[in-house]
Amino acid sequence: MSMERSNGLKEAETIDAHKTLTCEGVDYNYRFDGAHFEIKPPVEIGEGSCRSLLSHGYIQMTDFNLCFNRDIEAKGNFSTPRTELAFCMGHGIEWGTSLKSDYFVIDTGEIALFHGGVRSENCTYLSGAGYRFISIDMSPAQFERMTSGLTEDTRLRIGAGAGLFFGKNNITPSIRFILSQIADCSYSHGMRELYLEGKMLELMAVYLNESLYEADRIPRSVKLSREDMESLRLAKEILQRDYLHPPTLAGLSRIICLNEFKLKKGFKEMFGYTVHAYVIEQRMQRAQQLLEQGSMTVSEAASRVGYGNVSHFSAAFRKKFGVRPGEYLISGRQRLFGIKM
């Protein structure tokens, strides 16, 4: 007979886990239980954050973006069975579990699907390594529902069955694009949760489709070393910061010490955008924020994000958001001042 918790979910539907980060003088504990959280380590041990992007009790999407300045031992205890889908966009890790004697490994640019029962886990985060994971944790019952339309043989291939399962795939350009949209989400309040829930479902659908039918047929356009990937992440940071006056391809190539071919091909493969398209994306996201505030005209917003030609700005904005910036500005002011049409 299944028990029911105070939030109305049956016990089999919930996530119940906690992790502990430890080093000399530090003992840091956080929970995965379907509730929102954001954790920032003390400055003496590192920087970044681990935060929930979406929490529904039976499913939780987390952004783990941390860099430690000393080696950190991490231990996890999972009081209920759990299915985890992790997308590794930073330094890879290996971890052990009480369900198996050897270690599991996920490296940069890989996806790991792990399914297991009640267990403990352990791993070590290395000093100076930049860790970035987007992960989706869910109850096995939820994973069963998400894969219920597949045949039994197909479901077993992706771990939708009883017992321990571990499988890996490469992050494809289409998946990388969705991950970048999740990481760069600029929506706030209720719209943010709605947007992220849609993106999470899209991510699951694309992952399942590609892992079953397409992953083996997708060629890599360029071979990237770990150093190449670090250079490309630096390029992305530069474009995020300097989108108003971005360097040329040749200039960016010199800054990150990577040839133009790898810059162009590798950037598209890692982040789902060309370098030029990523600059436009940064400008449009900022323009959307400015127009939402309702305090400036379309031409002022265009100028603020680097457009001297308002027509070019309007065309780019409409292509991105499906409405003209003037229409978006009017609707934003109506929302801001509570005006009803």
Side-chain angles (χ1 to χ4, degrees), residues 249-321:
L249 273 175
L252 187 58
S253 176
R254 287 193 297 271
I255 293 169
I256 66 172
C257 300
L258 196 66
N259 66 58
E260 287 188 48
F261 175 80
K262 279 193 173 182
L263 170 58
K264 290 190 290 186
K265 296 290 186 180
F267 196 94
K268 177 70 185 299
E269 187 150 307
M270 281 190 68
F271 306 117
Y273 293 91
T274 65
V275 171
H276 176 70
Y278 189 72
V279 171
I280 299 301
E281 175 71 14
Q282 300 310 297
R283 291 177 172 181
M284 291 300 101
Q285 293 290 348
R286 179 56 180 157
Q288 182 192 38
Q289 294 171 356
L290 292 172
L291 293 175
E292 277 184 347
Q293 294 169 6
S295 59
M296 62 178 60
T297 66
V298 170
S299 60
E300 288 171 337
S303 177
R304 187 70 67 87
V305 298
Y307 281 84
N309 187 305
V310 177
S311 296
H312 291 169
F313 169 72
S314 296
F317 192 93
R318 186 176 185 183
K319 182 178 180 181
K320 168 66 179 175
F321 298 109

Side-chain angles (χ1 to χ4, degrees), residues 113 143 150-161 165-169 207-216:
L113 175 66
F143 191 61
L150 304 176
T151 65
E152 188 62 26
D153 288 345
T154 300
R155 292 174 72 251
L156 288 173
R157 282 178 57 197
I158 57 172
F165 178 88
F166 179 76
K168 291 200 298 185
N169 299 90
Y207 163 75
L208 290 171
N209 181 62
E210 291 188 344
S211 64
L212 291 173
Y213 306 118
E214 298 176 11
D216 294 337

Side-chain angles (χ1 to χ4, degrees), residues 12 38 49 57 72-73 77 117 123 125 143 153 177 186 212 226 232 235 251 280 288 295 313 322 324 337:
E38 180 170 11
S49 69
I72 300 291
E73 297 297 321
N77 289 290
C123 72
Y125 295 113
F143 191 61
D153 288 345
F177 179 61
S186 63
L212 291 173
R226 180 167 290 172
L232 290 167
I280 299 301
Q288 182 192 38
S295 59
F313 169 72
R324 295 183 180 88
F337 297 107

Side-chain angles (χ1 to χ4, degrees), residues 52-160:
S52 59
L53 298 174
L54 191 69
S55 297
H56 285 319
Y58 53 85
I59 191 164
Q60 191 160 37
M61 184 163 63
T62 304
D63 184 359
F64 186 99
N65 187 9
L66 287 165
C67 182
F68 299 103
N69 54 31
R70 65 184 79 174
D71 290 353
I72 300 291
E73 297 297 321
K75 297 181 180 179
N77 289 290
F78 305 95
S79 302
T80 56
R82 184 179 69 133
T83 298
E84 179 180 9
L85 188 61
F87 301 83
C88 181
M89 300 178 290
H91 198 281
I93 60 168
E94 62 179 44
W95 72 98
T97 169
S98 59
L99 297 177
K100 201 167 186 246
S101 58
D102 59 359
Y103 276 72
F104 299 96
V105 177
I106 178 172
D107 209 343
T108 307
E110 291 184 333
I111 310 165
L113 175 66
F114 186 93
H115 170 80
V118 175
R119 64 190 187 276
S120 60
E121 290 183 354
N122 64 87
C123 72
T124 300
Y125 295 113
L126 301 176
S127 173
Y131 294 99
R132 184 71 187 273
F133 297 93
I134 298 290
S135 64
I136 301 174
D137 294 80
M138 68 190 82
S139 65
Q142 173 65 15
F143 191 61
E144 290 276 336
R145 283 196 296 274
M146 289 183 127
T147 58
S148 61
L150 304 176
T151 65
E152 188 62 26
D153 288 345
T154 300
R155 292 174 72 251
L156 288 173
R157 282 178 57 197
I158 57 172

Side-chain angles (χ1 to χ4, degrees), residues 236-247 255 279 283:
K236 183 183 178 187
E237 291 174 7
I238 291 169
L239 296 176
Q240 285 176 327
R241 184 185 67 233
D242 300 332
Y243 65 87
L244 284 178
H245 304 289
I255 293 169
V279 171
R283 291 177 172 181

